[in-house]
């Protein structure tokens, strides 16, 4: 008997797949960190060219800061759920604004490590 996958297992697989694709496509992306957000745009452009019918069900933004990366992700993936994780409470006002602006998103103030 094959065990059934839970919703959280699908979420982890989907998020992991998204990040693996990002890493693989980043290696081929003709953009660099020095270009700032253009590198994100180039990465998503390459991702959409390689997988035009694919859209992640969920996107995890770790170290969200004010949510700028999530805002850009929303432009390309309009239906994906977005969870922004940030360690610093000073970003709460910006994160609240981002959640309202992009919709279908949440934020949490969490520290992923004690170090």
């Amino acid at each position: 008997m094959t065990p059934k996958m839970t919703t959280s297992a699908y979420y982890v697989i989907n998020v992991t797949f998204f990040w693996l694709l990002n890493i693989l496509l980043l290696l081929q992306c003709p953009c660099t960190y020095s270009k700032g957000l253009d590198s994100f745009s180039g990465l998503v452009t390459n991702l959409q060219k390689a997988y035009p019918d694919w859209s992640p069900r969920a996107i995890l933004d770790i170290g969200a800061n004010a949510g700028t990366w999530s805002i850009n992700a929303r432009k390309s993936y309009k239906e994906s759920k977005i969870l922004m994780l940030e360690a610093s409470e000073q970003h709460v006002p910006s994160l609240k604004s981002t959640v309202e602006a992009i919709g279908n998103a949440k934020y949490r103030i969490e520290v992923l490590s004690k170090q």
Side-chain angles (χ1 to χ4, degrees):
M1 184 165 156
T2 306
K4 292 180 84 175
M5 289 183 73
T6 65
T7 303
S8 60
Y10 281 116
Y11 176 80
V12 170
I13 290 169
N14 205 358
V15 169
T16 303
F17 181 67
F18 179 73
W19 280 108
L20 287 174
L21 285 174
N22 278 336
I23 291 167
L24 291 173
L25 292 168
L26 183 60
L27 296 173
Q28 299 174 8
C29 186
C31 50
T32 63
Y33 181 75
S34 65
K35 292 184 181 179
L37 292 176
D38 287 342
S39 63
F40 176 82
S41 300
L43 183 66
V44 171
T45 298
N46 285 348
L47 184 60
Q48 290 176 324
K49 283 181 186 176
Y51 302 94
D53 297 326
W54 180 79
S55 180
R57 279 190 270 168
I59 298 171
L60 185 59
D61 183 355
I62 300 173
N65 198 298
T68 305
W69 191 90
S70 293
I71 291 168
N72 286 298
R74 174 60 74 226
K75 291 175 186 174
S76 298
Y77 298 109
K78 302 198 183 318
E79 301 299 320
S80 300
K81 295 177 185 176
I82 297 178
L83 175 59
M84 296 173 279
L85 299 176
E86 174 55 47
S88 176
E89 291 192 23
Q90 74 182 29
H91 297 293
V92 168
S94 298
L95 290 168
K96 283 182 179 180
S97 296
T98 298
V99 166
E100 290 175 17
I102 67 176
N104 200 18
K106 297 179 182 179
Y107 75 90
R108 293 205 40 192
I109 302 300
E110 296 288 339
V111 177
L112 301 178
S113 171
K114 292 183 180 182
Q115 298 177 354

